[in-house]
Amino acid sequence: MRFDMATPVGEESWLAYLDEAVRNATDLEKRVHAIELYKRAVSLEPGSLRLWLAYCDFFWSLWGESQDSSSGWSEEERMMGRELFSFGAALALWQQGYESIKYRVSDSHELWNRWISHEMGLLSKTRTPDGIKRITHLYRNRLVTPHLTWEETSQAFSSFLSEYNRNAWEDTMKEVTGQAQETKRLIADRDPFEIRLRQAQKSQDVELEKSIMEEYLEWEMLQSKRNNDHPDIGIDLCCGLFDRALTGVFATDETMWNESVVFLSSSKLNSRAVSNLLDVLERAVKHCPWSGKMWNRYILCAEEANLSFTEIERIKHAATSEDQLYKAGMESMIEMYVAWCGFLKRRAVDAGAGDEAVDVADVGLPAALENVAVVGKRLYGKDFQGDPKFRLERIYIQYLTERKGAIDEARAQWNKLASVPIHADSHNFWFRYYMWEMLIFSSKPASTRSPTPLSNANGLRVPTLATSVLARAVARTNIDWPEKVLEVYLQHCNDYEPPASMRRATDRAHKAAKEIRRRREREQQEKDEAYVAYYAQQQQQQPQQQEESLIPAEPPASETKRKRDDIIAEGEASAKASKRQKNEDHLTTPLTAGQEQPAPAKRDREHTTVLVEGLPADVTQVKLRQYFKPYGHINNVTALVQESDQSTSTALIEFKTAEEAQSALLRDGKYFGQSQLRVTSGHDLTLYLANFPPAADENFIRDLFKDCGTILSIRWPSLKVNTHRRFCYVSFRDRDAAAKATGMDGSLLEDKYRLVAKYSDPGQKKRREGALAEGREVHIQNLDRFAPESELRQVFGKYGTVLRVNVPTTLAGKNKGFAFIDFETKEQAEKAVAELNNTKFRSQILQVDLSKDSKIRSSAKIVNAERQSASPAPSSAKDAEGDQAMGDAQPANKPTLDEIKTRTISLMGLPDTVNDARVRALVEPHGAIVQMTLQPAHGGAKVEFSDAATAGKAALQLDGMEFEGFKLRTGSVEELRHAKPPHKEDKITYGGNKDTKSQKPKDSSDAPKTIMPPPAVVRRPGAQKPGPRRAIGFARVRQQTEAGSSGATNGKPAPKSNADFKAMFLASSGGKETEKKEKGEESAGAENGVDG
């Protein structure tokens, strides 16, 4: 164990260092020095194949050059070289290298082949019986050692026997083959992992290689425990795999080194176990000098190996000689000092310890505490309050109590800790202090002591100091678990205190409990209010989204979710439909503060759907449901399609569970009336599609796969909880069509969108990215309202690299009592949560948890960048609906809120599966859009046009328009707030893959071609209210204005818009255009049923 010599660390560093040394070895002295460096390298990296090969090759070259008179060596150097670099020494070095790496299953043959070729070269010259016997022995041992090139080794041995011992060839090969059966099994078991590793290395995918290696090691460690017949070979193979990992991609990985140490510590039980473990730990601290955990184990192992105090002290000095231990905060330094202080304490309290050990502990333990405090103050300034777990202080207190008997001095240490807020507000600290006082109390003579208080306190021995500790804990108003402290306090007083003290304790506990309840209620109320305010502000201040159709990218992580989180169940064609609709409307009411979003029921359609063929051509949904009802609950008839020959129909039926779907398969071959059915599983019929153009609709999808086969149904996800979804499920008629469609996966659409077309598998989800999804975001509650971001960054930075701090603030500049912090890794975030939860920060006890995902994105906004100046600029300004106004306009050009209101309309009647891009494609042909906000939860969108005239024209043209089987209507923003998305019965189409535009309602004249659902109910604004209708997007005018504009023209009722809107509308055009617009208004009014 040498730490005073600056040496390279790791295989790569050593190879580069040695290469330079060999290049400069121009004389014998430098060559010997290079050999010493090689010895040092292989002692520190004994499992490195590349270092052993380089070492053996260099030594072999020195032997050859010492034998060659033309090598350029002087005669004296050659004579000395022949002694230093002999042939026997060279062969022995090859054997030593092979023994060190022979359990590297994948590449040990590289050194073996070189070594055995040299042995064979010697035998070819001597051909001695001893030489033949030696090589036979080497081959036998090699063939019972697992390695991937076993067959090549066996063939080489066969050739050797054929040449040098032909008579024994048959018996020897038969014997070797029999002995190697277990070896070949071990090789076959590991071959799949080795193939995957080679592929990852060939592709230069380091992360994949690491993942496979970790999986391989976990499996190998498990095998080493199961292989009871040959336990040693299992351990050796696992050690060989660790050598490969730790000299390769995991050379500086603290976790992998720790895994290796734990494996060796728990597996190697022979006399050399501690010595071997010590060597591994020496390598570990050199590769990971920042790891307090490794230094801790190194010191502990050195103590177990009975190394001298001087040697262990040298290890401790090596750990603190550089600043590596402080690389990730104080934790690693404290972990190292825990081992060092534990060593000093155990050495001093040992029964045979001398005065020297006690003197060293007297000096060393306080010095360790002081060193930690000095470094902490240097790193964190006055904010450093010490180790929250006070591990070193506990060791020192134990030493003072057990070895020195200095009770008062130990109690002074406890009181010193109690003066620090980080400990004083921790119930764990007070409980440990209390237990220590009780230990001291119980260690004294107790001849008159009774555990049960007497009615007369005379003679009762009371643990007054222990009671005092708990009383101090109860008095702490900010302690993290006051309920538990009260419980322990009362129990203690009941066990040990006299009645008067018990009465006072009960009174105190009662008052404290009332204060605790008020504290909890206040905290909950503040938290609820803060959350409501924060998320309300987040909804209003959502960052403006770029138009999705302009972003050529892979689908966002939220779009790769393979299930719909919120799906409105399609209703049955029965009288219960309207009742269920009311229930669904009731379920969409907003949740109050503190309520949690109920978890949606998971649906696995791919395993709960059956394909039914051969149904009667005129079958109805009701009959179909009745027929299959005995087999389980039917969630939905996904498709009911009449075949092109109009003789039969085909259906997809979704059951509630996979077991029910399996039961329905019993109907296969049975009759439905006069028609014999074919019922098969719907598995592998459905594809998951994503990353298609944002404006793609059902016609686009059907046209895209028209050459693949018949499409039975297309399901779109509900956007009510997440407007950014862009995927759908396409169910094909047969598996061949679905398989052909998967061939389009990766196709480039519109030169920018890479299509995803895969078999639907709800069991698999793409890994989501980002701090929240990766568990790197920490949520802080109960934050001091005046705490600045800089302090949070400083405090949490002790536990890892802080990438982002988000502290929501009020208009007054105070924070809202909570914050979010992103760390670089998940481990850092978890460490911060473990260390800082229920700790005091300023005047509050922090509640620190990992953030939880909220998938609700209830609206989507599209902003026309070229027309942004048409809306107000200040970010603090809100329009009449509370939406964030747009920026970048000059003050002189800002429209007023009333102007924005007059040119804004609401488009309602949209299904909640239609995204903003499709709505924009629908609306934009009717006029230039400034911005559009889609609100799927209300089944509509709020659209701001460039001017009021355009808004009015668009409102007239869009009102009553058919859109994907739904009738649209226009109205005010206020109407949109109270609107609900339209509900449609199970969609039933005829003709399979026919274009939806060609489908017609089912009637007596065209029955064979189409099956249509019952017409959807379309609600029109103001249908139950008398009086004239308001113009779309305008506020209601006063009664006088309405009365003045309510006259009739030519006996016809007045247009549906009010007078102000009409005047503005007419003023924007002239002549014939005006007449056309008036006629359009009249026609629209008649269409909507406005009577005079």
Side-chain angles (χ1 to χ4, degrees), residues 1022-1085:
Q1024 292 80 24
K1025 297 180 181 179
R1029 297 180 58 184
R1030 291 180 287 146
I1032 303 304
F1034 295 89
R1036 182 182 297 274
V1037 298
R1038 296 185 181 275
Q1039 184 65 31
Q1040 291 85 347
T1041 305
E1042 292 177 358
S1045 61
S1046 60
T1049 303
N1050 297 328
K1052 294 183 179 181
K1056 69 174 183 177
S1057 57
N1058 58 40
D1060 288 343
F1061 166 70
K1062 183 176 180 181
M1064 187 176 299
F1065 191 13
L1066 296 177
S1068 64
S1069 305
K1072 296 181 179 179
E1073 183 63 21
T1074 301
E1075 294 181 3
K1076 292 180 180 178
K1077 291 184 177 179
E1078 289 180 332
K1079 290 180 179 179
E1081 291 175 350
E1082 294 170 358
S1083 175

Side-chain angles (χ1 to χ4, degrees), residues 722-984:
N722 188 345
T723 56
H724 298 158
R725 288 172 160 183
R726 179 152 51 92
F727 64 89
C728 68
Y729 297 92
V730 179
S731 297
F732 286 86
R733 169 65 182 275
D734 54 65
R735 291 178 176 80
D736 290 340
K740 188 175 180 180
T742 59
M744 298 189 66
D745 182 52
S747 302
L748 193 63
L749 305 180
E750 299 183 1
D751 296 327
K752 60 174 68 173
Y753 301 102
R754 187 72 64 181
L755 179 67
V756 176
K758 300 181 182 297
Y759 282 112
S760 176
D761 185 358
Q764 294 186 357
K765 299 179 182 178
K766 181 179 177 181
R767 178 172 177 169
R768 303 178 65 189
E769 299 176 351
L772 180 63
E774 295 169 6
R776 297 187 287 107
E777 184 179 87
V778 170
H779 180 205
I780 307 158
Q781 302 179 72
N782 203 30
L783 186 65
D784 187 286
R785 294 303 179 98
F786 295 94
E789 177 183 323
S790 58
E791 287 192 24
L792 280 176
R793 186 179 291 274
Q794 185 178 19
V795 170
F796 282 81
K798 300 174 184 178
Y799 303 97
T801 303
V802 174
L803 300 181
R804 183 184 70 98
V805 178
N806 178 17
V807 186
T809 58
T810 64
L811 294 176
K814 298 180 182 179
N815 69 63
K816 296 188 175 183
F818 58 96
F820 301 90
I821 293 180
D822 293 354
F823 282 90
E824 187 174 37
T825 65
K826 177 181 179 181
E827 291 72 23
Q828 293 174 357
E830 291 173 343
K831 186 176 180 181
V833 170
E835 298 292 339
L836 295 178
N837 187 34
N838 293 325
T839 59
K840 187 174 181 181
F841 175 69
R842 287 197 164 203
S843 61
Q844 301 292 328
I845 298 298
L846 296 181
Q847 296 180 29
V848 185
D849 299 288
L850 292 177
S851 295
K852 297 180 180 179
D853 191 8
S854 174
K855 303 179 178 66
I856 298 179
R857 299 173 180 86
S858 59
S859 65
K861 180 181 289 186
I862 289 180
V863 178
N864 190 337
E866 297 178 357
R867 298 183 177 272
Q868 279 188 339
S869 60
S871 296
S875 59
S876 61
K878 305 290 191 301
D879 62 19
E881 289 70 52
D883 291 308
Q884 184 69 43
M886 297 170 54
D888 298 339
Q890 297 300 324
N893 297 327
K894 296 176 189 173
T896 64
L897 296 180
D898 288 338
E899 289 175 341
I900 296 175
K901 190 173 182 180
T902 59
R903 67 189 193 203
T904 302
I905 70 169
S906 292
L907 181 63
M908 293 167 283
L910 292 168
D912 62 5
T913 59
V914 177
N915 63 16
D916 49 2
R918 292 165 66 187
V919 177
R920 177 174 183 169
L922 169 69
V923 175
E924 202 163 34
H926 300 283
I929 298 174
V930 174
Q931 72 174 19
M932 183 187 76
T933 303
L934 177 66
Q935 298 181 1
H938 297 289
K942 183 178 65 177
V943 186
E944 180 187 346
F945 289 90
S946 58
D947 55 67
T950 304
K953 179 180 177 181
L956 294 174
Q957 293 174 338
L958 291 169
D959 194 55
M961 178 182 291
E962 289 284 343
F963 179 73
E964 298 189 358
F966 296 90
K967 184 169 288 188
L968 305 180
R969 60 191 177 91
T970 55
S972 66
V973 174
E974 184 64 25
E975 289 178 285
L976 176 62
R977 288 178 177 173
H978 300 288
K980 301 293 182 183
H983 180 66
K984 195 172 183 179

Side-chain angles (χ1 to χ4, degrees), residues 352-370:
D355 293 339
E356 180 186 358
V358 177
D359 292 340
V360 169
D362 283 341
V363 175
L365 292 176
L369 288 170
E370 183 178 355

Side-chain angles (χ1 to χ4, degrees), residues 559 561 563 688-690 692 716-717 725-729:
E559 293 178 5
K561 196 171 189 328
K563 284 188 178 180
Y688 165 78
L689 299 187
F692 40 75
W716 301 89
R725 288 172 160 183
R726 179 152 51 92
F727 64 89
C728 68
Y729 297 92

